[in-house]
Amino acid sequence: MLKLSITTKVYLSSVATDMRCGVFSLSGKVLEVFEGNSLDGNLYVFISKDKKKVKILHWEEDGYWLHQKRLGVGTFQIRLEDSGMDVITGIDLEKLLSGISFAKIKLSKNIKNNLAKSPLI
């Protein structure tokens, strides 16, 4: 089960991903896109080209979780690029999954300063 909070570290791929990929293909993409280790307990988020599907890869102690969501109507509000990724919080991911655009999310200076000082992010 996903445990999303402000301290949850989430890596969001801005590269369109083939949603036929399974756990092993996506763990390879973690190395390729994020230059990370899929066994670190962080969440790795992949979006389909049509922005209607999302897969989240997560390692939890003894195995992988592969979460998938497919929208019936609309698209996920994210801009896809040819390369790159972004690091977001669990709260940001929760908003993304519920259809809120990142462009509309504005953090106060106080929250931004506290996040910058946090060793978990």
Side-chain angles (χ1 to χ4, degrees), residues 3-62:
K3 298 170 191 139
L4 301 174
S5 71
I6 195 76
T7 59
T8 305
K9 198 166 190 179
V10 179
Y11 291 91
L12 176 66
S13 174
S14 59
V15 178
T17 304
D18 184 348
M19 288 293 115
R20 295 175 291 180
C21 290
V23 170
F24 297 113
S25 296
L26 291 176
S27 63
K29 288 191 180 292
V30 168
L31 275 171
E32 179 185 319
V33 175
F34 305 107
E35 298 177 356
N37 180 356
S38 63
L39 301 175
D40 61 9
N42 296 321
L43 301 177
Y44 294 92
V45 180
F46 301 92
I47 309 282
S48 66
K49 186 175 183 177
D50 64 3
K51 297 192 272 184
K52 287 184 168 272
K53 297 175 269 310
V54 65
K55 281 192 175 183
I56 303 168
L57 183 66
H58 176 228
W59 174 263
E60 187 177 85
E61 295 178 22
D62 60 349

Side-chain angles (χ1 to χ4, degrees), residues 54-94:
V54 65
K55 281 192 175 183
I56 303 168
L57 183 66
H58 176 228
W59 174 263
E60 187 177 85
E61 295 178 22
D62 60 349
Y64 282 108
W65 278 99
L66 184 58
H67 307 273
Q68 180 175 341
K69 183 170 185 176
R70 180 174 189 241
L71 296 176
V73 177
T75 60
F76 290 105
Q77 300 299 305
I78 182 173
R79 198 175 96 228
L80 295 176
E81 301 170 2
D82 291 335
S83 64
M85 61 98 174
D86 198 8
V87 180
I88 62 174
T89 68
I91 301 301
D92 294 333
L93 177 59
E94 190 175 278

